[in-house]
Amino acid sequence: MVGDDPTRKMDQDARIQSSTTAERVLVLDFGSQFAQLIARRVREQHVYCEIVRHSITAERVRELAPLGLIFSGGPASVYAEGAPQCDPELFELGIPILGICYGMQLACHVLGGKVESFPSREYGRAEWHIDKADPLFEDVAPVSQAWMSHGDQVANIADDFEQLASTSDCKFAAVKHRTRPLYGLQFHPEVTHTIEGSKLLGNFLRNICGTTGTWQLGDFATETIAQIRQSVGSDRVICGLSGGVDSSVVAALLAEAIGPQLSCILVDNGLLRLDEEKAVIEEFSKHFQTDLHVVKAEEQFLAALAGVTDPQEKRRRIGHTFIDCFAGEAKRISGAKYLAQGTLYPDVIESGASRDGPADTIKLHHNVGGLPEELGFELVEPLRDLFKDEVRRLGLQLGLPEEIVWRHPFPGPGLAVRCLGEVTQERLNTLRAADAIVVGEIKAAGLYRATSQAFAVLLPVQSVGVMGDSRTYDDALAVRCVNTDDFMTADWSHLPYDLLSRISTRVINEVKGVNRVVYDISSKPPATIEWE
Ligand code: XMP
């Protein structure tokens, strides 16, 4: 864990600078839970977008030369002690600014308006009306639905501002500065409940910032490949492959960038899904022709897990064994200087939703799969700027098969945390076979992409059954299938009964040792997605 290591922050800033995208917009994060969503919406308009701390200096913004700034919302009140501020010089740069909710209140407040806490707080849907035509409203319906979420609102604007739109409870739903390219929206254009939200953002980007919307993920791949070549030079890079989409895409990018200097390590821990390592080995030894080191460590992992039933202890032992195996193999690869990681954008920037200081709660996370820094490698993290679905698209562009790209997420400790109770070879085989049936049937029903994660869990519970004329006393298997956007909250998938019925029949008939199948109908929270 690197925490708030200042050199890392500098690395991050340097990286932002080296992303050579011509058209860039910055989202200043004031602690909004929606900051990432704003960045997503901007990228959807083919404009490259990054999230930065709200305290970014005007000087730094000048260096980065964005075409626009978006001030996010945030939970604070502009008058509260310690409320996040921005460099007031930002308003003097001539760069268009869109303030959203708190961002708007801050801009209005700094420039002479008045913000108040209103008794009629607005949360949820509200109807808003355009009161004055403006390029921001091109092709936007005069009356439509917006998503509000605020306690404070602008009570009075300075003379330099004009009012553009309202709701019944909010006179200043949209405002603009008379002489500067500065707009404010009290509602949230980034959420889908704001029906004209994308149009508003698109109009801000095109009509106010002058972007042309030419950014493509393909450009990202080309630029990133060039950057990797430049920073890695002639040194060797090690990349851990896990079977998951992120590490596969990192490896594919590196293979493209510095092919012969790449060494991939796949630790076969015996805890992967059916045929998972086979698919990855085939892809990376045949298609990409990388130097692939498969560490056969199944026995080591099983030995470490023998007799362990406590979930935390399982994770701990798996983590240690993984480090031993990985580090041992990495030592054998001579001349390796870099370690490639599949860190994604949401891992990098955690837009501190905490009330007591969003600036400082932006942390760097290390998606190192438990690898300690003492390994002594410099990190290469080519996916740090991307969201998960962008990573998937990039994977397809790089030629990875859909089978790998669209695979549901899989926890680092693998099947061990889905094999409740003791993890043994035999129980893993049972679970693997059942899991393949569950996933196979969901795929056959055309529902794999419609679900976020689907898997089997082998329970440490036996129950009585009857097969033919015989009594059985075998294991119970749970089927877990969830739908979620962010894996922080999830709903159980309402799978069709006939599909559940097929799964149950096949598992009981085909998987020896299982005589009962149950379907998990718990949402998260209070349950988690995994059972351990
Ligand atoms: P939970 O069970 O916390 O899971 O609701 C949320 C998401 O995280 C995955 N998960 C893990 N991923 N290492 C990982 O790489 C882990 O130890 C781990 N535990 C849970 C889980 O599969 C789900 O997608």
Side-chain angles (χ1 to χ4, degrees):
M1 266 315 232
V2 174
D4 281 336
D5 177 350
T7 56
R8 292 269 166 206
K9 281 180 187 152
M10 280 163 53
D11 281 356
Q12 190 193 2
D13 285 350
R15 182 185 50 78
I16 291 178
Q17 196 166 29
S18 64
S19 273
T20 56
T21 336
E23 291 192 343
R24 184 205 313 271
V25 164
L26 300 179
V27 174
L28 273 67
D29 184 8
F30 289 88
S32 170
Q33 52 180 328
F34 297 137
Q36 288 197 14
L37 200 52
I38 301 173
R40 282 304 337 252
R41 296 283 174 255
V42 173
R43 287 191 194 181
E44 277 166 14
Q45 309 267 350
H46 300 291
V47 175
Y48 189 69
C49 184
E50 299 241 14
I51 302 172
V52 295
R53 295 172 186 82
H54 65 85
S55 53
I56 189 168
T57 62
E59 191 190 343
R60 182 72 186 125
V61 169
R62 231 182 267 117
E63 280 167 23
L64 293 171
L67 293 185
L69 302 176
I70 300 179
F71 289 10
S72 81
S77 171
V78 291
Y79 296 110
E81 200 179 317
Q85 305 292 325
C86 66
D87 184 342
E89 228 191 290
L90 291 181
F91 297 112
E92 316 290 334
L93 296 177
I95 299 174
I97 297 175
L98 174 66
I100 295 173
C101 195
Y102 178 87
M104 167 202 195
Q105 294 162 12
L106 182 72
C108 288
H109 166 66
V110 171
L111 298 174
K114 194 161 188 288
V115 175
E116 275 180 8
S117 171
F118 271 60
S120 57
R121 293 165 156 240
E122 271 187 303
Y123 289 101
R125 292 176 174 81
E127 197 177 80
W128 70 287
H129 307 247
I130 296 176
D131 299 320
K132 188 163 187 290
D134 189 275
L136 188 69
F137 301 140
E138 186 184 324
D139 290 334
V140 171
V143 178
S144 70
Q145 180 189 291
W147 184 259
M148 290 282 196
S149 174
H150 63 103
D152 288 1
Q153 59 173 270
V154 174
N156 250 318
I157 46 177
D159 291 344
D160 290 336
F161 280 80
E162 58 186 319
Q163 186 262 3
L164 296 180
S166 54
T167 73
S168 57
D169 286 321
C170 175
K171 180 173 173 197
F172 300 107
V175 299
K176 86 186 251 199
H177 197 277
R178 291 182 197 278
T179 54
R180 300 177 192 180
L182 167 60
Y183 284 82
L185 294 176
Q186 180 53 69
F187 55 88
H188 291 268
E190 69 274 23
V191 304
T192 47
H193 301 291
T194 297
I195 292 171
E196 297 285 45
S198 315
K199 260 192 219 159
L200 283 169
L201 283 174
N203 287 341
F204 174 70
L205 295 170
R206 258 187 327 276
N207 298 347
I208 316 298
C209 302
T211 62
T212 53
T214 49
W215 182 70
Q216 298 289 349
L217 207 51
D219 303 345
F220 176 89
T222 314
E223 283 174 18
T224 307
I225 286 169
Q227 260 171 259
I228 293 172
R229 284 187 185 137
Q230 199 191 11
S231 52
V232 163
S234 58
D235 286 308
R236 180 154 290 277
V237 182
I238 292 183
C239 178
L241 279 175
S242 69
V245 56
D246 304 342
S247 72
S248 299
V249 174
V250 170
L253 255 181
L254 286 161
E256 198 73 36
I258 47 128
Q261 293 155 244
L262 174 67
S263 294
C264 291
I265 299 179
L266 173 65
V267 176
D268 177 4
N269 57 11
L271 304 170
L272 298 181
R273 290 166 282 194
L274 191 71
D275 293 337
E276 188 155 27
E277 77 265 31
K278 205 169 101 200
V280 175
I281 290 170
E282 261 180 32
E283 199 54 30
F284 283 92
S285 53
K286 293 200 184 125
H287 187 157
F288 286 101
Q289 292 173 344
T290 36
D291 171 36
L292 177 62
H293 300 239
V294 180
V295 186
K296 289 275 181 201
E298 187 174 15
E299 281 177 17
Q300 229 167 306
F301 278 84
L302 283 178
L305 289 168
V308 181
T309 54
D310 176 63
Q312 289 306 89
E313 186 58 21
K314 278 185 189 173
R315 282 172 189 268
R316 213 179 57 77
R317 292 191 184 205
I318 291 169
H320 285 155
T321 313
F322 179 78
I323 291 167
D324 287 348
C325 294
F326 193 94
E329 191 60 33
K331 271 198 206 114
R332 276 191 274 280
I333 299 171
S334 62
K337 185 171 171 197
Y338 295 95
L339 178 66
Q341 301 280 346
T343 315
L344 304 194
Y345 202 43
D347 303 324
V348 176
I349 305 242
E350 185 178 84
S351 63
S354 96
R355 273 152 212 276
D356 45 22
D360 304 325
T361 55
I362 293 176
K363 296 182 212 120
L364 291 165
H365 286 259
H366 270 242
N367 183 21
V368 289
L371 288 173
E373 284 177 62
E374 297 85 80
L375 287 185
F377 294 112
E378 286 182 39
L379 292 183
V380 179
E381 297 175 309
L383 307 183
R384 290 172 59 107
D385 291 334
L386 300 186
F387 293 95
K388 187 85 175 183
D389 59 324
E390 293 174 327
V391 170
R392 289 200 156 113
R393 277 195 283 136
L394 184 61
L396 292 173
Q397 274 179 19
L398 292 167
L400 283 174
E402 300 221 344
E403 167 68 13
I404 289 180
V405 167
W406 288 107
R407 193 161 266 181
H408 286 171
F410 189 61
L415 294 182
V417 292
R418 296 177 179 173
C419 188
L420 275 55
E422 189 179 359
V423 180
T424 63
Q425 178 71 273
E426 193 190 349
R427 297 192 77 222
L428 284 171
N429 286 341
T430 303
L431 176 57
R432 234 186 306 266
D435 187 74
I437 291 173
V438 171
V439 173
E441 283 296 336
I442 289 173
K443 280 184 178 165
L447 291 173
Y448 188 71
R449 293 266 295 272
T451 53
S452 309
Q453 209 168 354
F455 54 91
V457 182
L458 187 61
L459 306 182
V461 171
Q462 285 78 46
S463 71
V464 174
V466 54
M467 265 185 167
D469 289 332
S470 316
R471 175 187 187 275
T472 58
Y473 189 60
D474 281 337
D475 287 337
L477 185 102
V479 175
R480 180 71 162 146
C481 184
V482 295
N483 285 56
T484 172
D485 286 330
D486 54 13
F487 296 87
M488 305 293 288
T489 61
D491 192 13
W492 58 277
S493 308
H494 296 214
L495 294 180
Y497 283 169
D498 59 340
L499 170 59
L500 289 170
S501 169
R502 267 197 310 279
I503 288 174
S504 160
T505 307
R506 279 199 58 201
V507 168
I508 292 170
N509 284 344
E510 296 173 31
V511 182
K512 202 165 154 284
V514 175
N515 68 351
R516 192 174 294 271
V517 173
V518 296
Y519 189 49
D520 182 349
I521 50 168
S522 337
S523 58
K524 174 184 178 178
T528 50
I529 295 173
E530 303 290 346
W531 277 46
E532 284 194 339

